[in-house]
Amino acid sequence: MFNLLKNKIILPFIDLLKQGVSPEMLALSIATGFVIGIIPFIGVSTAICAILAVVLRLNMVSIQLMNYTAYPLQLILYVPFIKAGEKILGLTSSGFTIKDILRLFESGFINALRILWVANLQGLFAWIIISIPVFLIIYYISLLLLRRFNPADIIEN
């Protein structure tokens, strides 16, 4: 059973991850996918990752996999990014909670975006500041691990 799973699912998936990609490019895909995955603009990270993957010739599978892995963090960090942006920029607190934001979206997507656009910009400002060190940390850790361990060798043994 494990051989069937390994041959039909695991190895083809690893081939997709490695498809013509050096460890450096794969680490870049992983770090980019994660950092874009926590951007405080709900609903745009998949499109941004796809565009970046095409433009920068990154691995589409790994960038989207990391984007989707980071999605819960995007929801958790949404309000903290907005609050941090408000503090950094010295603006008054919007007072948004997750429940308030959900209610806004229930009343209509366009209406919610119209109300939240300033808050999103403040969150984006905080995200830009935090994303640079997070990106570098994830990139170098991924690169170290990818150079040290070849996933195909581990599974074949």
Side-chain angles (χ1 to χ4, degrees):
M1 179 66 178
F2 180 73
N3 282 337
L4 179 68
L5 180 69
K6 180 177 104 175
N7 291 331
K8 296 293 182 181
I9 296 174
I10 296 172
L11 290 177
F13 183 72
I14 289 173
D15 287 341
L16 274 175
L17 284 174
K18 296 186 335 177
Q19 201 168 42
V21 177
S22 66
E24 291 80 10
M25 292 301 285
L26 191 53
L28 185 61
S29 299
I30 290 168
T32 302
F34 185 85
V35 168
I36 298 299
I38 62 170
I39 195 168
F41 277 108
I42 307 297
V44 299
S45 61
T46 300
I48 293 171
C49 283
I51 291 166
L52 287 173
V54 171
V55 170
L56 300 175
R57 298 182 185 258
L58 300 175
N59 185 289
M60 185 69 77
V61 174
S62 61
I63 196 171
Q64 293 295 2
L65 180 65
M66 288 310 296
N67 171 36
Y68 294 139
T69 301
Y71 183 69
L73 275 177
Q74 181 185 39
L75 296 176
I76 292 167
L77 295 174
Y78 185 76
V79 172
F81 274 137
I82 291 171
K83 301 284 185 201
E86 290 172 346
K87 287 186 191 231
I88 293 167
L89 297 171
L91 300 172
T92 58
S93 178
S94 63
F96 287 123
T97 65
I98 258 316
K99 288 182 182 181
D100 296 332
I101 292 167
L102 290 174
R103 272 189 235 118
L104 281 172
F105 279 102
E106 287 171 0
S107 70
F109 187 77
I110 301 299
N111 183 49
L113 291 180
R114 187 178 53 77
I115 293 170
L116 291 173
W117 76 274
V118 172
N120 275 338
L121 290 176
Q122 294 169 38
L124 185 63
F125 187 77
W127 171 81
I128 289 169
I129 293 170
I130 194 96
S131 66
I132 295 167
V134 168
F135 175 87
L136 291 172
I137 290 167
I138 292 172
Y139 174 78
Y140 285 111
I141 289 173
S142 298
L143 186 57
L144 176 74
L145 292 173
L146 289 167
R147 284 182 176 165
R148 181 165 242 189
F149 303 106
N150 183 351
D153 291 343
I154 294 169
I155 290 178
E156 288 174 5
N157 291 332

